[in-house]
Amino acid sequence: MPPKKKGERHDLDVVEERNAQVQLETAKYKPVAFAVRCNFSYMPADDDNVPVPGQAVTFEARDFLHVKEKFNNDWWIGRPVKEDGVVGFIPSPVNLETILIRREVQARKAAKALANKAAAQAAQDMNSKKYTPPSQANQQVKKKPGEQVAMYDVVPTMRPVVLMGPSLKGLDVTDMMQKALFDFLKHRFEGRITITRVTADISLAKRSILNNPGKKALIDRSNTRSNLAQIQGEVERIFELARSLQLVLLDADTINHPLQVAKTTLAPILVYVKISSPKVLTRLIKTRGKSQTKHLNVQLVAADKLAQCPPEMFDVILDENQLSDACEHIADYLESYWRATHPPEMEPANAMVAQLAENTLPTKPTAIPDEQKSKKSAAPKRKGSRENHLEQVPPSDSAQEPRAEEGQREEEERLLRTEPKRPQHTRHHHHHHHRRMEHHRHTQHSQTPGAMDMQSSREPTQRLPYRHLPKEIQEEVDDVEEYEEEFHLLPCAQHSSF
């Protein structure tokens, strides 16, 4: 086969670029196939052979991408999970690794050429003995021996939300505060959120453990709360919940620290419910009774470990003093995340027009089946037969109606004659009734709107009686109330109903 000429190659490239542009436009309205977390940064360049020049996606390490479909072996089509994220071409893992290696080789060559040029200039200098070439140690990526980092990590389509703090889960103070946030988010994002409880220890769902048979057997033999089969089942269930593109809120019993889920494939949104003052936390624990006070030191240590974590380990830190402020803080973050994962172009314009056309009435009359015709024709017949029956009523019945009415009147007059008359009692009764009605009308006219308002304002409000608490508990409650007034504590910690 003879080689193609330069003009033919150019025409072929134009056709391929046009087809890629069409496929890119249609992919904007397709659902998300899967999501990945980037482990390396990528900045598009001219020599990357992007199917449509200028339409590649730029991302940094730890960014998240929604992949729509596979374009070819070298490129995917997707978008970064950002509010202004645009659909474009994403390098596949193999292609991204090739691009990064090529750039590293080019950077080393450029650095070597620069060092040789600097050495040549230094040789001509009188003080060349004092010259030291630049070190190459900082240009190499440090990796652990035997460690192989993937280009991307597959994560849930919607990152699950996990609450942590102020202390340990399973104890009253932490459970009350987190339950208050659960209830708020359930009503705020109704129809857009799924709240599920996870009892398995998902901190063991690490890629290194799941891919190592030796560690699997070791964990299965240990006295853990759940084996790896249950953990893998929980992880798959969370992935399946996230495919609906709804917010997923996990009530994880075993997660109390961000390092527990840092290396898992779940990539959760970590929310830290923080009480800055240990003194406030101590008083709150003491108000919950002796059953919670005996675990005071453990809760304080757990709270201190969370406070020592750098802020970068959390996505949201709720350190507000009021529950309403904390709720609005997390709601704003989740609303922003919702907009980032649900771009405006969810459906194409032509599909919307087609859907509207289907919902409208048909422009052409459709053929009616014979059965429906027979049913429709039978209904008027039955109606007409009933009318005919009414019209064919003999006139003798209508002539007999006045006679029956006259007989009924005669019977009523006869009963009235035989009934004993009580005219005085009847008049007396109506007289009293008339006076009562006049008195009622008089009182209604005498009442002014101001008088009615005064009367309604005097009505006492119904309140529930307070319980008489023991003297020791009442003193503790008084102390905490004074301390809450000083520190403006979260309202969710003041009520046991949470």
Side-chain angles (χ1 to χ4, degrees):
M1 185 176 179
K4 296 181 180 180
K5 297 181 181 179
K6 185 175 181 180
E8 294 179 356
R9 290 180 182 177
H10 179 71
D11 294 340
L12 183 61
D13 293 341
V14 171
V15 172
E16 291 180 353
E17 181 178 338
R18 189 179 303 163
N19 294 335
Q21 183 67 40
V22 172
Q23 187 170 350
L24 180 65
E25 290 296 326
T26 56
K28 290 181 179 180
Y29 312 106
K30 292 186 177 181
V32 179
F34 60 94
V36 295
R37 177 176 55 193
C38 307
N39 293 326
F40 295 90
S41 302
Y42 171 70
M43 179 69 69
D46 296 337
D47 57 347
D48 291 343
N49 296 326
V50 183
V52 179
Q55 295 292 330
V57 175
T58 303
F59 53 85
E60 300 291 335
R62 315 303 295 177
D63 282 355
F64 293 89
L65 307 175
H66 276 177
V67 180
K68 302 278 189 168
E69 65 180 8
K70 175 183 176 182
F71 179 75
N72 54 28
N73 293 332
D74 294 334
W75 297 96
W76 295 340
I77 297 179
R79 59 179 294 273
V81 182
K82 298 178 181 178
E83 291 192 37
D84 55 348
V86 181
V87 176
F89 290 95
I90 301 172
S92 65
V94 177
N95 188 22
L96 179 60
E97 186 176 4
T98 303
I99 292 173
L100 295 180
I101 291 175
R102 184 181 72 245
R103 291 182 181 180
E104 186 177 358
V105 171
Q106 292 175 355
R108 287 181 179 178
K109 288 182 179 180
K112 187 176 181 180
L114 184 61
N116 293 335
K117 184 177 179 181
Q121 291 179 357
Q124 298 175 2
D125 195 354
M126 295 296 295
N127 299 325
S128 60
K129 295 181 180 180
K130 298 180 181 179
Y131 173 77
T132 56
S135 176
Q136 301 291 332
N138 296 328
Q139 299 178 6
Q140 298 178 357
V141 179
K142 294 182 179 180
K143 295 182 181 180
K144 295 181 180 179
E147 183 183 6
Q148 186 176 1
V149 181
M151 298 290 109
Y152 306 107
D153 290 333
V154 180
V155 297
T157 308
M158 296 289 287
R159 297 172 59 194
V161 182
V162 177
L163 300 183
M164 296 183 181
S167 185
L168 292 175
K169 292 183 179 179
L171 298 173
D172 286 359
V173 174
T174 301
D175 290 348
M176 284 191 307
M177 291 188 176
Q178 293 191 6
K179 187 178 184 300
L181 294 173
F182 284 153
D183 294 340
F184 169 78
L185 295 176
K186 179 182 178 181
H187 294 90
R188 177 66 176 268
F189 296 92
E190 186 175 1
R192 296 187 292 165
I193 192 169
T194 301
I195 302 176
T196 181
R197 185 178 181 184
V198 180
T199 57
D201 190 2
I202 56 177
S203 63
L204 300 175
K206 300 177 182 178
R207 188 182 300 274
S208 59
I209 294 178
L210 297 177
N211 296 335
N212 194 332
K215 291 185 178 180
K216 275 187 178 182
L218 181 63
I219 292 177
D220 288 337
R221 289 196 302 268
S222 63
N223 295 325
T224 55
R225 294 186 58 182
S226 54
N227 53 26
L228 286 182
Q230 294 176 347
I231 296 171
Q232 188 67 25
E234 287 290 335
V235 172
E236 292 176 357
R237 185 173 68 90
I238 295 171
F239 268 81
E240 190 63 28
L241 290 174
R243 289 179 62 85
S244 63
L245 285 182
Q246 284 194 336
L247 296 172
V248 180
L249 183 58
L250 302 183
D251 185 7
D253 295 344
T254 60
I255 304 303
N256 293 293
H257 198 275
L259 291 179
Q260 291 180 274
V261 291
K263 295 184 179 181
T264 62
T265 58
L266 296 177
I269 296 175
L270 300 181
V271 180
Y272 177 22
V273 184
K274 184 178 182 180
I275 294 181
S276 304
S277 174
K279 191 174 181 181
V280 173
L281 180 60
T282 302
R283 288 183 174 269
L284 282 174
I285 295 172
K286 287 182 178 180
T287 58
R288 305 309 303 167
K290 294 182 179 180
S291 60
Q292 300 297 314
T293 306
K294 65 181 180 180
H295 303 295
L296 176 63
N297 293 333
V298 178
Q299 297 184 64
L300 292 178
V301 170
D304 184 61
K305 287 184 178 180
L306 285 174
Q308 291 178 2
C309 295
E312 295 79 14
M313 298 187 71
F314 302 100
D315 296 277
V316 187
I317 298 178
L318 304 179
D319 55 355
E320 289 80 5
N321 294 329
Q322 298 294 329
L323 174 63
S324 58
D325 297 338
C327 290
E328 289 301 324
H329 186 180
I330 188 174
D332 292 342
Y333 181 89
L334 293 181
E335 286 287 358
S336 175
Y337 181 67
W338 179 269
R339 292 190 298 269
T341 54
H342 294 73
E345 63 275 2
M346 295 300 293
E347 292 183 359
N350 54 359
M352 295 176 64
V353 173
Q355 186 176 3
L356 291 174
E358 291 177 0
N359 295 333
T360 56
L361 294 174
T363 56
K364 297 181 180 180
T366 56
I368 303 176
D370 297 336
E371 297 179 357
Q372 296 183 2
K373 287 182 179 180
S374 61
K375 291 181 181 179
K376 291 182 179 179
S377 59
K381 287 182 180 179
R382 289 196 294 269
K383 185 177 179 181
S385 61
R386 182 179 180 184
E387 293 175 356
N388 296 334
H389 177 71
L390 293 175
E391 291 176 358
Q392 294 175 1
V393 175
S396 59
D397 296 341
S398 60
Q400 291 177 359
E401 288 180 0
R403 299 176 183 175
E405 292 179 358
E406 291 178 0
Q408 187 175 0
R409 291 176 183 173
E410 292 177 357
E411 183 68 22
E412 290 178 356
E413 291 176 359
R414 185 179 62 81
L415 292 174
L416 290 173
R417 294 191 194 100
T418 56
E419 185 180 2
K421 297 181 179 180
R422 293 178 292 180
Q424 296 178 356
H425 178 72
T426 306
R427 292 194 188 99
H428 184 70
H429 173 73
H430 284 289
H431 177 69
H432 281 286
H433 180 69
H434 182 68
R435 289 181 62 185
R436 192 182 303 116
M437 291 296 293
E438 287 182 353
H439 177 68
H440 179 65
R441 292 173 185 171
H442 178 71
T443 54
Q444 283 185 347
H445 287 291
S446 63
Q447 281 185 347
T448 60
M452 294 176 65
D453 295 340
M454 292 293 292
Q455 183 180 359
S456 61
S457 64
R458 293 192 190 99
E459 294 179 357
T461 56
Q462 296 180 357
R463 296 185 179 179
L464 296 175
Y466 289 98
R467 294 183 180 179
H468 296 285
L469 299 175
K471 184 177 180 181
E472 295 82 5
I473 300 179
Q474 185 65 38
E475 292 177 355
E476 291 288 339
V477 172
D478 294 338
D479 293 341
V480 173
E481 288 178 353
E482 294 176 1
Y483 203 83
E484 287 169 354
E485 292 177 359
E486 180 181 354
F487 287 92
H488 304 286
L489 195 58
L490 284 171
C492 64
Q494 300 175 3
H495 304 281
S496 60
S497 61
F498 285 113

